[in-house]
Amino acid sequence: MNLSPRSATALTTYSLSSPVGQSWESALSDVIGVLRIQYRSDDDVRTFLDSTEKVRQLQISTAARMEWNRRVIKEEMDSGIHSPPRARRIAKEVAIDYIRRYLDGEEEKITMYRRLQDIQREKDETLATMLEYEREKTRLGDESARMAVSNQKLRDENEVLREDKEELKLENAKYKTENDHGKDENDRLRLENGKLREENKKVRQENQDLRNENGALRSENQKVRSENQILREESASVRKENAKVRGESQSLRDENNEVRCEIIKLRDNNTSLRDDNERLRNANGSLLTDNRKLIQDNLELNAREDEMRMLVNIQQSLLSGKPGATKEALRLQQSALDTAEDSS
């Protein structure tokens, strides 16, 4: 890649740690006070700037330092001028971008933490329900054991009190019914316990899905941040082009107004020319009528002139007295007279 002499000279004076003889930390220290005044109405930014630990993290941020170096080197290569004020201005822009990204990340962390808290709370409620069912199951087991002991006592009493056999049978049947009811209740609790285990599996699967979704959201967030940076740069170029187009549009409006004024003048002139043309057409019609009359009169005069010439020629022939010309002259004179009569 070929470089201009000025760019080559500028590259020899730059260093990645201090493009303009000023470090990122010093430039940031110069603009921290200005940022606090400028963003005093923004609570989130003001809280960040008031925190000494967060400002220190911004100062030691490698990403912020590299972004500041890149922008400063680019602008100074384009202009060829060392400008500490420009470096401080870029430090302000980089710091605000870093703070905005930090605040966006914190907000996303808070939202995700709240979602995890909700999931944990639902999990704790499920576990508490499961423990309650376990305690109920233990109680039913104890009752079943006590019932077994009672049955044993009844058997002993049955051996001792054979004469109360019928009564003991009735009581035994009663206890058997209660025991069957306890077994049915135990089966029901086992079924509910199985359902709770299935629900626990579903909750675990949903937790895993949320973790996967969190990773996808982080990747998408990084992509959106990159696209946002590209859009900001494109927006700056579009603003410049928009300003240029506005200037051209204003000049075109001025030219359009001038052309409109000329068109109005031409329309007025065209209207007067149309009136003159109409007047000339009317005059030309009357002249054509007069010209037709003059042509007709001219034709009649030409015919009469021919007749007169013929008569003069006949008279000259008669006066000259040529032999054999008298009859011819009289014939021609008679013919001329006939022609004159016909024309009249």
Side-chain angles (χ1 to χ4, degrees):
M1 180 177 64
N2 296 326
L3 295 174
S4 62
R6 186 177 65 180
S7 299
T9 304
L11 282 175
T12 59
T13 60
Y14 290 147
S15 66
L16 292 177
S17 62
S18 180
V20 293
Q22 185 180 17
S23 65
W24 155 249
E25 290 80 5
S26 63
L28 181 63
S29 298
D30 293 337
V31 300
I32 285 294
V34 178
L35 289 174
R36 287 173 179 169
I37 296 173
Q38 185 176 357
Y39 291 92
R40 61 182 180 274
S41 59
D42 193 334
D43 295 335
D44 295 334
V45 177
R46 181 172 55 78
T47 303
F48 184 94
L49 294 173
D50 291 338
S51 176
T52 306
E53 180 61 23
K54 292 180 180 179
V55 173
R56 189 183 67 82
Q57 291 178 2
L58 175 58
Q59 289 178 344
I60 64 176
S61 173
T62 304
R65 182 185 295 104
M66 292 178 66
E67 179 64 16
W68 178 77
N69 286 333
R70 184 186 67 80
R71 294 189 186 181
V72 171
I73 290 172
K74 183 178 182 301
E75 290 206 10
E76 291 191 358
M77 287 182 68
D78 293 338
S79 61
I81 300 173
H82 296 290
S83 178
R86 185 187 294 118
R88 288 191 289 270
R89 175 180 58 80
I90 295 173
K92 285 175 57 179
E93 296 174 355
V94 171
I96 287 300
D97 291 341
Y98 177 90
I99 293 170
R100 295 295 186 193
R101 289 195 298 271
Y102 175 84
L103 294 175
D104 293 340
E106 289 296 316
E107 185 175 356
E108 292 174 358
K109 289 180 181 179
I110 291 172
T111 302
M112 187 57 63
Y113 180 74
R114 289 176 179 173
R115 293 179 63 183
L116 292 174
Q117 282 183 338
D118 294 336
I119 294 171
Q120 186 64 34
R121 185 172 60 254
E122 292 176 0
K123 182 179 179 181
D124 293 338
E125 292 176 357
T126 303
L127 290 175
T129 305
M130 291 177 63
L131 292 174
E132 184 66 25
Y133 283 129
E134 288 292 336
R135 286 194 294 271
E136 185 68 19
K137 180 181 177 181
T138 304
R139 186 179 64 79
L140 291 174
D142 295 339
E143 289 182 359
S144 179
R146 287 195 300 271
M147 289 175 67
V149 173
S150 178
N151 286 332
Q152 185 62 38
K153 290 180 179 180
L154 288 174
R155 289 189 187 97
D156 296 338
E157 290 178 1
N158 193 16
E159 291 294 333
V160 176
L161 301 173
R162 291 181 182 271
E163 63 277 7
D164 297 332
K165 185 176 181 181
E166 295 297 330
E167 185 179 355
L168 290 174
K169 285 182 178 179
L170 292 173
E171 291 181 0
N172 193 12
K174 179 180 178 182
Y175 284 121
K176 284 182 179 180
T177 303
E178 291 179 356
N179 193 12
D180 293 335
H181 181 70
K183 288 180 179 179
D184 294 336
E185 187 69 18
N186 194 9
D187 292 336
R188 184 179 65 80
L189 291 175
R190 286 178 181 176
L191 181 61
E192 291 180 356
N193 193 8
K195 290 182 179 179
L196 289 174
R197 287 178 181 176
E198 293 294 331
E199 291 180 0
N200 192 12
K201 290 180 180 179
K202 291 181 180 179
V203 170
R204 289 179 181 176
Q205 184 63 36
E206 290 178 358
N207 192 5
Q208 185 63 34
D209 293 339
L210 288 174
R211 289 178 182 174
N212 297 332
E213 184 179 356
N214 189 10
L217 288 174
R218 287 179 180 175
S219 301
E220 186 177 357
N221 190 12
Q222 186 65 30
K223 182 179 178 181
V224 168
R225 287 176 181 174
S226 302
E227 293 178 354
N228 192 10
Q229 182 63 30
I230 295 172
L231 290 175
R232 286 177 181 173
E233 295 175 357
E234 291 180 356
S235 177
S237 62
V238 167
R239 288 193 186 99
K240 293 180 182 178
E241 292 179 359
N242 193 10
K244 183 178 179 181
V245 168
R246 285 177 181 173
E248 293 178 354
S249 177
Q250 186 61 36
S251 62
L252 289 174
R253 287 193 185 98
D254 297 337
E255 293 179 0
N256 193 9
N257 291 329
E258 294 177 358
V259 170
R260 284 179 180 173
C261 294
E262 292 179 359
I263 288 174
I264 292 171
K265 292 179 182 178
L266 290 174
R267 284 178 179 173
D268 296 337
N269 191 13
N270 193 10
T271 303
S272 62
L273 290 174
R274 284 176 182 170
D275 295 337
D276 294 339
N277 191 11
E278 187 65 26
R279 188 174 62 255
L280 290 174
R281 283 180 182 175
N282 296 329
N284 193 14
S286 61
L287 290 174
L288 287 174
T289 304
D290 295 339
N291 192 13
R292 291 192 188 95
K293 291 181 181 180
L294 291 173
I295 290 170
Q296 186 66 30
D297 294 340
N298 193 10
L299 290 175
E300 292 177 358
L301 290 174
N302 287 331
R304 290 179 182 177
E305 184 178 358
D306 292 338
E307 293 172 1
M308 294 299 292
R309 286 178 181 175
M310 188 179 293
L311 290 174
V312 171
N313 291 329
I314 292 170
Q315 289 177 0
Q316 287 180 355
S317 298
L318 291 174
L319 293 174
S320 62
K322 293 181 179 180
T326 303
K327 292 181 179 181
E328 183 67 23
L330 291 174
R331 188 179 64 80
L332 292 173
Q333 185 177 6
Q334 186 63 36
S335 177
L337 290 173
D338 295 335
T339 302
E341 289 177 358
D342 291 338
S343 62
S344 61

